[in-house]
Amino acid sequence: MSIFHPKGNWYRSPTGNERLWVGLALAWCLVMSVTMPWWHFQGKQNAPNETYKVDPFEFMDRVDLFVETNRVGEMNNVPIVEPAPGGDAYLLGQMWQWYPILKLKKDQTYRLHVSSLDLQHGLSILPMNMNFHVLPGYDYVMTITPTTTGEFTLICNEFCGIGHHRMTGKIIVE
Ligand SMILES: [Cu+2]
């Protein structure tokens, strides 16, 4: 038999280069462990830390009410909605669309509520390096202040089925 249990005391403490590399790996693990909570408070692009449990269909009702009361136009059958500066804005991820199109004002702050109606989606705001995991049943509240005007394309970067590649949306900043 080629495999047998080693006899006697088989364990040897690492020495030389092995000791150096194990030490470096351990030190890096400790640095990363401290960095993760530190970045949560000091980082510029953080995941929202204000989250509420919500029934997906109740969230959809709130989105519909938001669209009804703040609608200013339409693009490709999707309503364009302009929330009041300083107020609440809603964005719903569903197979396979980000709904509605948001029209925001530069340098105004909004409370953006994001959730999913069906399954896991990934909200990515292009061309910025922004990426949020969106699950049904949770209302993620992001406090956002657009600093650049223009049109920002939203895509989904969590695979969510056959239409995933065409799941897009838009935020217009004026
Ligand atoms: Cu998706």
Side-chain angles (χ1 to χ4, degrees), residues 68-119:
E68 222 171 87
T69 46
N70 299 281
R71 186 184 184 121
V72 292
E74 198 181 281
M75 193 188 284
N76 302 327
N77 293 325
V78 183
I80 301 172
V81 183
E82 187 173 354
D88 292 288
Y90 287 84
L91 189 65
L92 179 70
Q94 58 179 314
M95 294 185 285
W96 291 283
Q97 179 186 42
W98 292 108
Y99 177 91
I101 296 171
L102 294 175
K103 195 174 184 181
L104 308 177
K105 287 201 159 60
K106 191 188 162 203
D107 296 327
Q108 295 288 340
T109 300
Y110 300 88
R111 278 167 59 81
L112 177 63
H113 298 255
V114 185
S115 191
S116 162
L117 180 63
D118 34 48
L119 37 80

Side-chain angles (χ1 to χ4, degrees), residues 31-59:
V31 169
M32 294 304 280
S33 301
V34 173
T35 304
M36 280 186 277
W38 174 77
W39 189 252
H40 182 77
F41 294 104
Q42 295 300 319
K44 273 187 170 174
Q45 293 178 5
N46 284 325
N49 52 11
E50 191 182 340
T51 308
Y52 304 96
K53 277 211 160 190
V54 69
D55 177 77
F57 290 100
E58 194 190 298
F59 189 86

Side-chain angles (χ1 to χ4, degrees), residues 121 156 158 160 167:
H121 296 288
C156 177
E158 293 282 348
C160 58
M167 179 169 172

Side-chain angles (χ1 to χ4, degrees), residues 117-169:
L117 180 63
D118 34 48
L119 37 80
Q120 170 179 296
H121 296 288
L123 172 62
S124 187
I125 305 175
L126 300 178
M128 303 161 84
N129 181 20
M130 282 190 154
N131 205 0
F132 299 101
H133 202 176
V134 182
L135 293 171
Y138 295 93
D139 174 4
Y140 302 94
V141 186
M142 306 171 199
T143 306
I144 59 161
T145 310
T147 54
T148 334
T149 57
E151 285 195 14
F152 299 85
T153 300
L154 312 180
I155 60 162
C156 177
N157 54 20
E158 293 282 348
F159 182 72
C160 58
I162 195 85
H164 165 69
H165 63 284
R166 57 183 168 85
M167 179 169 172
T168 57

